[in-house]
Amino acid sequence: MLPLESSPAELRSLGSAVLDAAVDFLESLGARPAHDPRSFTQDVAITGEAQPLAEVLATALRAAESGVETAGPRYLGYIPAGGLVSSAVAALLTQVLNRYATVADLAPGLVAIEQSVLDWLTTEFALPSTAGGLLTTGGSAATLSAVVAAREHHLGDESRGATLYVSGHTHLCVAKAARVAGLPRDCVRVVPVDDRLRMDPDAAARMIAADRRAGRQPFLLAGTAGTTDTGAVDPLTDLAALARRENLWFHVDGAYGGAFQLTERGRERLAGVELADSIVLDPHKGLFLPYGLGTLLVRDTATLVAAHRHDAPYLQDLGDGTGLPDYADHGVELTREHRGLRLWLPLRLHGVQAFRDALDEKLDLAEHTYRELGAMPGIDVPWHPSLSTVAFRCAAGDTATRAVFDAIRRDGRVFLTSTTIGGRFHIRLCVLSHRTHAEHVDEALAAVRAACSSTAAMTRSPRRLPTP
Ligand SMILES: *Cc1c(COP(=O)(O)O)cnc(C)c1O
């Protein structure tokens, strides 16, 4: 039985056993199936008794095997992450250090580390020196703080008739944030998109004007830098100009696509993002980090503080002398884990160029996927990928596309997901993990080809049953 306060020798053996298990897992990733479709039946209940480490580890690892292998190179569904091990190691160190890094006074060094990560990002996005932000648990939490800051800045306490603008391809987290922020249910306007699934700024302008005439209070325009469906990038420069003209908060959701700002092609495609009042990006997507790290950047840190700062007598000892931010004033959490090291350590250890190169590789792989799918007979690939997501369907229609999708799932080599665009069923493939390379994308293409020929064979075979 391991005591709560373990000896150095016990801790070394605990650490090396866990690290061995982790490295064994990573070694096995290349050969693991993308998906274990069996239902989870293992007994994991707390029994009350202390168990040996080997047994506990085995139970946890077996439990982790069920479901989708999101850490693996063949996970091409939703928005993949990967999970940089250097960041996991930073998380271990962070948790052991267990410093209280929400207020600068208690851990100025670690807050400086967290701030250096935010400063680096605001520089990458060419934001002004007033910019700042917050590391959060993910894009949804970051979006909530952005919407709250926008509401506070433009509406104060008067949120009647508050109206914000999204497109039909905007992530659900924007409407969810508005709802959680207490805005009325009818506050979300859905602006039409063009044939490349990008928000139409002229349509947005007409809707804003009509809403103003009806006495509503437009306050926020949300553009997306990389939609979840297809990776489409809204015309950010035009939307920024519209927001400025109409005195609206301009938010850019780059939870998925924001990381491509690190590449030359990405910067071109995301042009205008530097004009945003707030930007969300998810290091647990495009910077390959393990789940649990999102980022909010704001053009003016004061707007974030105005929306989130609260004082209390029991915090009266805390000073303002460090010149560093108190992250408690930037978001909803007070006690929170220090998140900076999880991004800072990988950036220092691997160097920023390693991230730029990996993201460039993903753009190339998406391009390759687009060309290869386009060359398959009977497959439609309606949109050239703006980033690293390709959506496709069978020219024969939804029934055929669903059959191909089901066959890919049954095959199990790779994990893809589907969506509905313009009322039609589409299969989507998103390349983003640092572990996904050309050979894995080629496996996915082979799985699509195999699925197409097996379903074609099925539909060719006679459906009539022989009469007895
Ligand atoms: C993933 C995603 C989100 C939500 O972020 P979470 O980290 O899952 O909370 C928001 N917007 C886009 C475009 C996304 O892809």
Side-chain angles (χ1 to χ4, degrees):
M1 188 188 65
L2 196 66
L4 290 184
E5 289 180 271
S6 315
S7 71
E10 284 167 330
L11 288 175
R12 280 184 214 287
S13 76
L14 174 69
S16 66
V18 170
L19 203 59
D20 280 348
V23 174
D24 287 348
F25 164 76
L26 291 167
E27 266 196 304
S28 75
L29 261 185
R32 288 163 90 90
H35 181 206
D36 179 354
R38 287 171 301 175
S39 57
F40 181 69
T41 54
Q42 195 184 332
D43 183 3
V44 292
I46 302 294
T47 58
E49 272 146 51
Q51 284 180 306
L53 174 65
E55 219 172 281
V56 176
L57 273 182
T59 304
L61 289 165
R62 214 172 330 116
E65 271 176 13
S66 62
V68 179
E69 190 48 84
T70 45
R74 298 174 190 85
Y75 176 61
L76 306 166
Y78 304 109
I79 310 284
L84 275 180
V85 179
S86 55
S87 181
V89 170
L92 172 65
L93 190 60
T94 300
Q95 305 280 16
V96 173
L97 294 172
N98 200 31
R99 284 306 182 99
Y100 197 90
T102 307
V103 286
D105 261 6
L106 300 194
L110 287 186
V111 171
I113 279 188
E114 191 149 332
Q115 191 57 30
S116 77
V117 168
L118 289 164
D119 289 344
W120 169 69
L121 283 169
T122 55
T123 306
E124 287 291 337
F125 281 90
L127 294 174
S129 60
T130 50
L134 184 68
L135 297 182
T136 67
T137 52
S140 300
T143 304
L144 175 61
S145 282
V147 169
V148 168
R151 183 198 62 192
E152 181 72 21
H153 186 69
H154 281 287
L155 306 173
D157 288 335
E158 188 42 76
S159 57
R160 247 201 359 216
T163 308
L164 63 92
Y165 301 82
V166 301
S167 85
H169 291 268
T170 304
H171 194 276
L172 64 88
C173 72
V174 176
K176 185 174 176 178
R179 185 83 194 108
V180 174
L183 294 171
R185 273 180 201 282
D186 66 351
C187 75
V188 180
R189 290 279 188 269
V190 180
V191 179
V193 292
D194 65 13
D195 56 3
R196 287 169 63 190
L197 310 180
R198 303 173 307 175
M199 186 187 279
D200 174 353
D202 295 333
R206 285 192 296 273
M207 291 171 85
I208 292 164
D211 283 332
R212 283 213 201 281
R213 280 196 301 275
R216 301 189 66 95
Q217 292 198 76
F219 79 103
L220 183 148
L221 177 62
T224 301
T227 62
T228 313
D229 272 344
T230 64
V233 179
D234 286 335
L236 301 178
T237 306
D238 293 348
L239 292 177
L242 172 64
R244 173 156 311 181
R245 232 171 25 244
E246 293 288 341
N247 189 31
L248 309 183
W249 184 281
F250 182 43
H251 174 71
V252 175
D253 181 356
Y256 156 48
F260 287 100
Q261 179 78 1
L262 295 183
T263 68
E264 207 176 310
R265 280 177 286 179
R267 264 195 306 282
E268 278 166 25
R269 293 171 199 180
L270 269 51
V273 69
E274 71 284 356
L275 302 169
D277 292 304
S278 54
I279 301 169
V280 163
L281 84 152
D282 266 348
H284 68 199
K285 290 174 179 167
L287 295 176
F288 323 123
L289 259 55
Y291 293 127
L293 206 93
T295 309
L296 170 62
L297 304 175
V298 290
R299 176 164 224 87
D300 183 358
T301 312
T303 57
L304 211 49
V305 174
H308 293 94
R309 184 176 176 133
H310 279 264
D311 288 316
Y314 40 81
L315 300 177
Q316 66 189 14
D317 304 338
L318 299 170
D320 296 317
T322 58
L324 290 162
D326 292 334
Y327 293 121
D329 297 342
H330 292 197
V332 296
E333 295 171 294
L334 180 58
T335 302
R336 66 198 268 281
E337 62 187 314
H338 163 69
R339 301 195 174 102
L341 210 56
R342 283 161 56 188
L343 187 47
W344 183 89
L345 188 139
L347 290 169
R348 283 263 181 141
L349 199 59
H350 308 297
V352 173
Q353 192 59 40
F355 290 83
R356 297 192 202 283
D357 292 346
L359 285 161
D360 253 327
E361 180 198 18
K362 306 313 153 198
L363 293 174
D364 289 339
L365 292 176
E367 194 72 37
H368 170 73
T369 304
Y370 174 74
R371 276 197 311 270
E372 291 292 314
L373 285 171
M376 288 184 204
I379 294 287
D380 281 349
V381 200
W383 304 280
H384 186 266
S386 300
L387 299 171
S388 67
T389 304
V390 185
F392 61 98
R393 63 196 305 275
C394 297
D398 276 5
T399 310
T401 314
R402 272 178 211 278
V404 166
F405 181 66
D406 292 344
I408 295 168
R409 277 285 170 90
R410 274 197 307 277
D411 172 283
R413 254 180 290 181
V414 297
F415 187 83
L416 306 185
T417 52
S418 76
T419 186
T420 300
I421 304 170
R424 292 167 162 194
F425 187 92
H426 287 77
I427 305 171
R428 56 186 288 295
L429 185 157
C430 179
V431 197
L432 199 60
S433 167
H434 63 294
R435 299 196 175 107
T436 302
H437 303 295
E439 69 259 35
H440 308 112
V441 167
D442 284 338
E443 270 183 74
L445 292 165
V448 174
R449 266 185 217 102
C452 286
S453 45
S454 72
T455 54
M458 254 160 48
T459 46
R460 264 200 310 274
S461 63
R463 299 206 162 196
R464 245 176 329 116
L465 293 171
T467 38

